[in-house]
Amino acid sequence: MEHEVFVPVPVESLREALADPARVARAVPGLQQDAGTPPVSGRLKVRVGGHAITYRGALTVSPQDDGTYAVEADATEARGSGTVKLALTLALRSREGDPSGSTVTFTGTASADGRVTELPADAVTSATTRLLSRFAEGLAAPASGGEARTTEAAPEPEPEASAPEPEAAAPEPPPAEETSSIHEAEVPPPSLEPFAEEDFEGGFEGDAVPASDAPAEAAHARRTMIGRSAEEVDHAPPRGRYAPVPAPEAAGPSAALRWAAPAAALLLASAVVLGRALRKRR
């Protein structure tokens, strides 16, 4: 296999990254390192098409005399017996006309068995080239993370002693507020007077209290309702203008007598007028 990747960093930066195992481990995409193991070892989940296979293994990078690097990897499936072995040669060269960029070339062979052999060859090749491209880009990433972990925190300067501030005058205590309680408030005694006979007396509209006495009547009604239960107030008959109108009395002899006098007067007047008319004719 052969694969080339361009990264926008000089060759010297890539050589420094390959010489640092911690940066190499950070450059492997998705590598989960196990505690107590070499820097470039752990678990790696590889996605091939719509499948994901998790491998557990180690990676080594060794510089060669001709300026190249030997990259060897050996991994085993975390849930299976399949294995993967990788032997690559990594070469670095500056890009022509652009010294700030470099070309990373991967050449070598890979062998595998297990689940990966059941997948399409095109999908396996695409996953491998994508993994190598991301590895080269990770090498070109700045080493700010590693430097931050190795650099010890500088001691903070001690604050200079400042002149003692004058003590502020003690604030005067606020005036004591009068404590009052709800239980200490005076409650007027309820009106327990029995109902008076005039409380339930009705009347006609002509007997209604004049408008000037309306406030007095309302005050009397409030006084009589205070202290009574809701049932007693609901059953109390309305008073004043809202009092019920009694049914009209049946017509009797007194009504006939009232109409007799006007009728007699009308008959008498008619007789007088008729008599005068007859006299004039004679």
Side-chain angles (χ1 to χ4, degrees), residues 158-169:
E158 297 181 358
E160 298 180 359
S162 57
E165 299 180 357
E167 297 183 358

Side-chain angles (χ1 to χ4, degrees), residues 241-268:
R241 59 182 300 183
Y242 299 104
V245 179
E249 298 179 359
S254 58
L257 293 176
R258 272 193 299 236
W259 290 101
L266 180 60
L267 291 176
L268 180 57

